[in-house]
Amino acid sequence: MTTDTIAGTGSIPGASPDLYNEDLAPAAVRNWGPFSIFNVWTSDVHSLWGYYLAASLFLFCGGFLNFIIAIGIGSLIIFVLMNLIGYAGVKTGVPYPVLARASFGIWGANVPALVRAIVACFWYGAQTAAASGAIVALLVRWPAFADFHANNHMLGHSTLDVICFLVMWGLQLLIIQKGMETVRRFQDWAGPAVWVMMLILAIYLCVKAGSFSFVSDIPMDVLLDKTKDAGVPGTPGSFGALAAVAAIWVTYFSALYLNFCDFARYAPDKAALRKGNLWGLPVNLILFSLVAGVTTIAAFDVYGEVLLHPDQISAKFDSWFLAALAALTFAVATLGINVVANFVSPAFDFSNVFPRKVDFKKGGYIAAVIALLLYPFAPWEGSAASFVNVIGATMGPIFGIMMVDYYLIRKGELDVVGLYMEDGEYRFQNGWHVNAFIAAAIGAVFSSILPNFTNWLPAWWGVYGWFFGVAIAGAVYYVLRSAALGSGARTARA
């Protein structure tokens, strides 16, 4: 039975109940065409956090042309990397934690699954907080809410912030009640909706400014003040700053490099995936960033200050209707990315660790509860660039190992049935692949530990932490795995 045949059946005869449930099985229904894949990316990017990051990176570029070049290069890199992991999902039909068993072992894969799940919990909280912030910005236009917001506090936030966060947190749980098909339908609507609102926001500000401009007149001293704590080398507009912008943009998607196969496995073929990725990544990302840049310039011309959050901009609208429309649209769009990027992944990841007891929905609920517990500490507050780099760097080594194993060691061929068997090819050392963990540990030292907890490395190193993690862990794994395979071949011949 071929890999492709297995991937289409959705069931594995004789699978271990500790490695298999219906949610972890190879995808049986492949109905995510190019439009649905495209909207994975509209839902992922078109959020308050996505806009905030794009607007923040615009400041580092010192000009519009520089911004588009840096974002364009980063977007092309993202397109290539997403196709790599996406093709594996299409061919095998399995979600990320199951695919990780091929390189980390049937039990060892629980570790990278939990790493991805924990990162998703951080992002889940960050995106929920951003969505609730949009609603708060709308409500404080009323004096009564503004007074309540200013004078009542709990859990380290205003009481109004807490209430809106809980409302947004609860609404997301309603979306996933019926599983992945509901997720697909929601994202197919939410993604395009925010594009319309982004254009309205940009046009409104350009009309109010009296001009449409690709030329930034934000003074250098303002740019330096706004970017001084982000950890990006060089002054705005320098080659170092532009390279950092491209690297941060690539790192922003580090979580989805791991689990994009959670969605790609529902695509009917590689052609559909590639087409959806083409429109959803380089084309969509560049256009979205262009609109973010125009809006940032126009907002500065109108209000005389740099406003990086779209809810801050919409809160200044003279029209209450437009302000309400913007707040609600951005809130819905941010719920969309949370469901796509930060609910689906931990749902599968936690299910992978406890397949007998935790299904897709329960795994998602666990992630939502963890995000709720993180809220009082708000680790996502501060510089967008710094948060992205710190979070993203933790996943570089895992991605490097998985891609080296799939493409360089196994040449794109996996025994899908064996991924669900306790005594198959992927058992390695009692279910753990020691070489993968050695490589991951070495990669993590250079991607996360040294740049974030010591001053032994250059200040710019952390900006490229994800890349160092991918390259170092991937190279170490290739050497160790090749040596082990060579040793096994020699032993067999003897």
Side-chain angles (χ1 to χ4, degrees):
M1 197 173 291
T2 67
T3 298
D4 292 329
T5 301
I6 287 292
T9 64
S11 62
I12 302 291
S16 167
D18 290 320
L19 295 171
Y20 176 91
N21 62 30
E22 290 185 2
D23 294 315
L24 297 175
V29 178
R30 304 293 192 95
N31 61 348
W32 287 47
F35 184 68
S36 292
I37 297 298
F38 166 77
N39 277 321
V40 168
W41 302 120
T42 59
S43 294
D44 182 71
V45 178
H46 301 169
S47 67
L48 289 167
W49 244 96
Y51 178 95
Y52 173 39
L53 179 62
S56 298
L57 295 181
F58 176 77
L59 301 182
F60 296 117
C61 294
F64 205 90
L65 179 60
N66 287 342
F67 179 57
I68 294 302
I69 291 173
I71 290 295
I73 292 172
S75 297
L76 289 174
I77 295 172
I78 294 165
F79 172 68
V80 171
L81 296 177
M82 288 300 179
N83 280 341
L84 286 178
I85 186 65
Y87 290 163
V90 170
K91 185 167 187 177
T92 64
V94 302
Y96 155 65
V98 175
L99 186 65
R101 294 172 187 173
S103 48
F104 285 88
I106 53 173
W107 309 131
N110 288 334
V111 175
L114 288 175
V115 169
R116 174 64 182 95
I118 291 170
V119 168
C121 293
F122 274 81
W123 273 117
Y124 195 101
Q127 295 287 2
T128 304
S132 64
I135 302 302
V136 170
L138 173 66
L139 293 177
V140 295
R141 295 171 70 96
W142 280 299
F145 280 111
D147 181 70
F148 181 72
H149 179 58
N151 299 308
N152 293 272
H153 296 81
M154 62 186 297
L155 300 176
H157 303 269
S158 83
T159 304
L160 184 61
D161 283 335
V162 174
I163 293 171
C164 290
F165 182 90
L166 291 174
V167 170
M168 292 295 104
W169 181 85
L171 286 176
Q172 293 169 104
L173 299 185
L174 298 178
I175 299 172
I176 51 80
Q177 288 296 313
K178 297 184 179 179
M180 284 295 288
E181 183 60 18
T182 302
V183 171
R184 183 182 68 83
R185 291 175 180 172
F186 177 77
Q187 70 168 24
D188 284 355
W189 171 82
V194 78
W195 246 123
V196 174
M197 194 61 240
M198 282 288 295
L199 291 174
I200 291 174
L201 189 68
I203 293 169
Y204 175 87
L205 287 171
C206 287
V207 170
K208 200 169 181 64
S211 65
F212 173 83
S213 178
F214 285 136
V215 179
S216 172
D217 55 359
I218 302 175
M220 181 58 72
D221 60 331
V222 175
L223 295 177
L224 290 171
D225 180 66
K226 285 288 186 179
T227 60
K228 62 183 179 180
D229 298 323
V232 173
T235 59
S238 67
F239 176 81
L242 298 185
V245 165
I248 293 169
W249 194 236
V250 172
T251 302
Y252 177 57
F253 293 86
S254 59
L256 274 163
Y257 297 134
L258 294 182
N259 80 289
F260 179 52
C261 54
D262 290 347
F263 306 96
R265 71 196 193 109
Y266 297 109
D269 50 48
K270 291 181 180 179
L273 180 82
R274 190 164 50 247
K275 185 176 180 180
N277 278 351
L278 177 63
W279 287 99
L281 289 169
V283 175
N284 176 56
L285 291 181
I286 292 171
L287 289 176
F288 177 81
S289 300
L290 186 150
V291 173
V294 168
T295 304
T296 302
I297 294 171
F300 182 81
D301 291 340
V302 173
Y303 302 114
E305 57 182 313
V306 175
L307 299 172
L308 301 179
H309 296 273
D311 52 306
Q312 293 176 336
I313 298 173
S314 62
K316 292 180 175 290
F317 283 0
D318 297 329
S319 167
W320 194 96
F321 173 76
L322 276 180
L325 183 63
L328 292 175
T329 305
F330 281 122
V332 169
T334 301
L335 298 187
I337 181 180
N338 244 6
V339 170
V340 169
N342 306 318
F343 189 97
V344 171
S345 174
F348 284 127
D349 294 338
F350 288 126
S351 179
N352 184 74
V353 179
F354 308 105
R356 289 177 184 262
K357 297 181 179 180
V358 179
D359 59 12
F360 176 83
K361 291 182 182 179
K362 291 178 182 177
Y365 294 151
I366 293 172
V369 169
I370 293 175
L372 183 62
L373 296 176
L374 285 171
Y375 177 66
F377 309 99
W380 43 81
E381 291 184 354
S383 166
S386 297
F387 179 73
V388 167
N389 283 331
V390 171
I391 290 294
T394 62
M395 292 172 288
I398 298 172
F399 182 73
I401 289 168
M402 290 180 63
M403 292 299 94
V404 166
D405 183 80
Y406 185 79
Y407 284 103
L408 299 184
I409 301 296
R410 303 184 186 277
K411 311 300 182 184
E413 297 294 334
L414 287 181
D415 173 16
V416 175
V417 173
L419 295 171
Y420 300 89
M421 302 297 175
E422 291 191 28
D423 297 315
E425 175 186 354
Y426 310 110
R427 185 170 179 83
F428 297 108
Q429 294 84 28
N430 295 318
W432 299 74
H433 191 192
V434 174
N435 286 339
F437 282 94
I438 292 173
I442 294 173
V445 167
F446 291 95
S447 68
S448 302
I449 297 174
L450 292 181
N452 291 314
F453 298 102
T454 76
N455 57 2
W456 298 354
L457 297 174
W460 51 263
W461 188 285
V463 172
Y464 303 95
W466 182 84
F467 294 87
F468 284 116
V470 171
I472 294 172
V476 171
Y477 180 80
Y478 183 79
V479 171
L480 294 177
R481 183 70 173 137
S482 296
L485 291 173
S487 175
R490 288 191 296 272
T491 300
R493 286 196 299 269

